[in-house]
Amino acid sequence: MRKFINLILVFIIIIGVLNLCDLYSGYKLSLGVDKVFTTEETTVESTHKKESENKDTLNNYLYRQMDKNEKRIYDTIYNAALGFKTPVFVGYFDDAEDAFDIFRIMLAEHPELFWCSGQCSLGTGGFLNIDYVYTKNEALEKKKLIEKKADELIAGLDSDEYKRALACYDYVILNTHYDMENIDRILEIPSDSTIEGVFLNNTAVCAGYAKAYQYLLQRAGLTAMYVVGVASNSSGSENHAWILQQIDDKYYYSDPTWDDTKNDNIVCHSYFCITAGEIGVNHDIDDLYPLLTANSLEANYFVREGRYFDKYSVSDVRQVIAESLEENRDFVEFRYKTQDEYDKAKECLFQDGEIYLAFKPIDFLKYSVNTEKMTMIQDDIHRVIMLIYNKD
């Protein structure tokens, strides 16, 4: 009986030692994965790290708001995404949504990572599984094509920050069609929500528009933050994405998707560089993003282009029409400071017929404008009038 008891005790000790070894090896495995990615952070050029010393940049604003541990996880995920690695050890979370928030923030600040589908899952043992759309070789080939297109545009830009931003904005809108056909199956077409959709496919949804504009701004030496929330119009409310950008040390909101007129040659600018109050009329930003002061109109399109009027005057309308024709444009936009003057402009121009007075001094033979086929688009929220005229 004593021998039997001793045998059982030896068996228990052996099992205990084996379990201890298993626990220890499991800990070493987790620690080892964490170490690999921590080491890699020191060898990979991380854009957000290089910019972290600049306290004014929007490019890594959300990263700078994180605590030390959140930054470590962000860096780990970022470097994993650069190397097409998955799964990656991020640690243990009481709530998986906290890990997903860091992942979403990382992607929001790095539009160049178009090969990430935006989907991830938190597995057992603190490992984050990242979903990649392409293999490394496929993605790098597409990356070269995108960078080539972006750099060709940027190479010809003016040094003025406003002009650089405007050129990038117009490029995205003029080269992109909104993918209404696949709007109900957007998760099946991840490129629509990335810079690939704009630069390689010329098709995107709001996320693609916003990320492509953010990407161009950053490559052009400007700073911008991708933001998400809910936007509302006459059809209802829906999830949406737009941009907070910085020009000459002032913040502005811009929404390239909502300035797409669906005409291949015409760009509206109602949502280019507007204030937080103006964007907030129909855009509700997600709580994930801290609100920054954006109350300047200095870089607003209408202010900079001399098309922001205190009062209605047919001579002002005549002047901006003449300027647009001289620039060989088929359209013109102008905006009014107050609702009363905006209402007066609509009444005088289109009810009282003063639009014809606006064209009267212009040489019709020179420009061949057919005023009978003119189209008027009005933005009652921002008090903008756009005239699109046909040339015979």
Side-chain angles (χ1 to χ4, degrees), residues 193-204:
S193 300
T194 70
I195 63 174
E196 180 194 356
V198 172
F199 292 106
L200 300 186
N201 305 332
N202 301 113
T203 304

Side-chain angles (χ1 to χ4, degrees), residues 151-317:
D151 291 343
E152 285 174 353
L153 169 68
I154 292 167
L157 296 185
D158 193 281
S159 60
D160 178 78
E161 290 191 6
Y162 163 79
K163 292 180 180 178
R164 291 169 81 81
L166 180 62
C168 293
Y169 193 75
D170 288 357
Y171 176 91
V172 170
I173 296 172
L174 291 174
N175 288 278
T176 311
H177 297 281
Y178 193 90
D179 194 1
M180 288 297 300
E181 182 179 346
N182 296 302
I183 193 64
D184 293 330
R185 46 190 292 267
I186 195 62
L187 291 179
E188 300 174 32
I189 310 174
S191 62
D192 270 2
S193 300
T194 70
I195 63 174
E196 180 194 356
V198 172
F199 292 106
L200 300 186
N201 305 332
N202 301 113
T203 304
V205 293
C206 60
Y209 278 76
K211 288 179 181 178
Y213 183 44
Q214 174 195 23
Y215 176 76
L216 284 175
L217 289 173
Q218 291 177 351
R219 289 189 77 85
L222 303 175
T223 74
M225 183 194 300
Y226 172 87
V227 299
V228 298
V230 174
S232 306
N233 55 30
S234 57
S235 302
S237 300
E238 59 185 4
N239 294 331
H240 192 53
W242 59 101
I243 288 295
L244 176 63
Q245 66 183 100
Q246 190 174 13
I247 296 178
D248 295 325
D249 300 324
K250 291 183 174 61
Y251 298 127
Y252 304 89
Y253 284 97
S254 296
D255 186 347
T257 309
W258 277 30
D259 268 341
D260 191 341
T261 65
K262 298 179 177 60
N263 185 308
D264 290 342
N265 301 309
I266 297 175
V267 177
C268 184
H269 295 94
S270 289
Y271 286 87
F272 177 72
C273 288
I274 59 178
T275 67
E278 290 171 334
I279 197 80
V281 172
N282 46 25
H283 290 56
D284 186 16
I285 196 167
D286 194 279
D287 291 339
L288 190 65
Y289 299 89
L291 292 176
L292 295 173
T293 301
N295 54 19
S296 174
L297 282 177
E298 285 184 26
N300 178 263
Y301 172 82
F302 300 96
V303 173
R304 283 293 298 263
E305 302 295 330
R307 298 176 181 180
Y308 189 53
F309 303 130
D310 292 333
K311 294 184 177 297
Y312 167 72
S313 166
V314 70
S315 62
D316 287 334
V317 177

Side-chain angles (χ1 to χ4, degrees), residues 52-64:
S52 62
E53 295 178 2
N54 184 349
K55 301 305 181 184
D56 296 323
T57 181
L58 289 174
N59 293 351
N60 67 335
Y61 182 87
L62 298 176
Y63 175 80
R64 298 200 313 274

